[in-house]
Amino acid sequence: MIGYGVNFRRGLASLTAAMGVLLVASFGAAAQDHRQNAPGAFDFYVLSLSWSPSFCEAARERGNTGRSTQAQCSGRPYSFVVHGLWPQYERGYPEYCKRPSPRLDRNVMRGMLDLMPAPGLVYNEWDKHGTCSGLGARGYFETVRKARASVKIPEEYLDLASPKTVTPGEVEEAFIKANPGLSAAAIAVRCDSRRLGEVRICMNKDLQFRACEQVNRSACRRNQIVMPPMRGG
């Protein structure tokens, strides 16, 4: 009986501990989920500007000939294009905040092709990120356009006719110089193994530049990167 009592108490203690873990996990999930993927409940935006020649060069190397690649890489010579305007938390980000996503009107999509040169990209950005903005489709893409208009592309990157080797710091500095109020704490340069990929700029909901520690931690750490020339260069 004594042995049985000891085993029973041990078993009860283990069960209690396990229930405690489950309760803590459930509470933690609830604490996180109170705004997880809730439309409009986020802290700031990231405007992602993709260096289109890098995207096209990498797509050719992978043999990617899909519609989005053809739309961006076989037309006019793009430089920086809008990858997206992404709602962010201070840590992490929401995505796919409405399932199914409200259908995006084709006319709205077509109206964005000057900034986001592939229909598939526009549709995907609406489904994954736009639905988290708390705005309707027209309002969201109007905000994308305003965000893009608030950032001036450095003059030396507007018509790049030959490959250019740069450091991530040089790209940051060029954008900071061209955009009063932009600081190094609000911009991050992304790269692949050798090429410039994107420039990400953090903005408040009113589209003013703001610092973003977590976005900065994912910045390119390479000493030098290449900017492939624009198509036809």
Side-chain angles (χ1 to χ4, degrees):
M1 289 294 292
I2 294 175
Y4 174 79
V6 171
N7 289 336
F8 176 77
R9 287 195 297 273
R10 287 176 177 170
L12 182 61
S14 298
L15 178 61
T16 302
M19 291 178 66
V21 170
L22 288 173
L23 286 172
V24 170
S26 297
F27 178 80
Q32 181 184 19
D33 289 349
H34 76 281
R35 70 168 191 172
Q36 187 75 11
N37 297 333
F42 63 96
D43 297 314
F44 64 98
Y45 285 116
V46 168
L47 175 66
S48 178
L49 301 174
S50 171
W51 182 246
S52 181
S54 290
F55 169 82
C56 294
E57 191 172 279
R60 284 195 300 270
E61 290 173 358
R62 295 192 304 268
N64 183 345
T65 58
R67 290 184 179 180
S68 290
T69 300
Q70 291 178 13
Q72 184 172 165
C73 303
S74 59
R76 67 184 180 89
Y78 293 103
S79 54
F80 278 105
V81 299
V82 175
H83 182 175
L85 183 68
W86 305 332
Q88 301 277 303
Y89 304 134
E90 294 296 346
R91 294 184 178 277
Y93 54 88
E95 60 182 0
Y96 299 108
C97 293
K98 291 184 180 181
R99 291 181 181 271
S101 300
R103 186 174 180 83
L104 180 61
D105 186 275
R106 186 177 293 272
N107 289 328
V108 175
M109 178 275 291
R110 287 173 176 163
M112 293 304 298
L113 292 179
D114 60 323
L115 299 183
M116 307 170 72
L121 172 62
V122 180
Y123 284 121
N124 180 73
E125 291 302 301
W126 166 243
D127 291 346
K128 186 174 182 179
H129 301 289
T131 57
C132 298
S133 67
L135 303 170
R138 290 187 183 276
Y140 170 68
F141 284 109
E142 285 173 3
T143 303
V144 174
R145 188 169 291 281
K146 288 177 183 177
R148 172 62 187 85
S150 71
V151 175
K152 183 178 180 180
I153 304 298
E155 187 174 344
E156 58 264 42
Y157 304 150
L158 291 176
D159 190 18
L160 194 64
S162 60
K164 185 177 181 69
T165 299
V166 294
T167 69
E170 287 171 344
V171 177
E172 279 195 11
E173 189 58 37
F175 271 85
I176 291 169
K177 183 177 179 181
N179 293 275
L182 180 63
S183 71
I187 182 173
V189 173
R190 299 293 299 270
C191 62
D192 62 15
S193 60
R194 64 181 185 277
R195 290 175 291 243
L196 171 68
E198 298 180 346
V199 172
R200 296 182 178 179
I201 298 174
C202 301
M203 301 176 166
N204 289 321
K205 291 183 179 182
D206 62 1
L207 305 183
Q208 299 299 307
F209 303 132
R210 59 99 80 187
C212 45
E213 181 182 353
Q214 188 179 42
V215 175
N216 260 292
R217 285 203 295 266
S218 64
C220 179
R221 304 300 179 193
R222 297 193 174 277
N223 293 328
Q224 289 186 325
I225 48 179
V226 174
M227 297 178 68
M230 295 168 60
R231 207 174 70 83

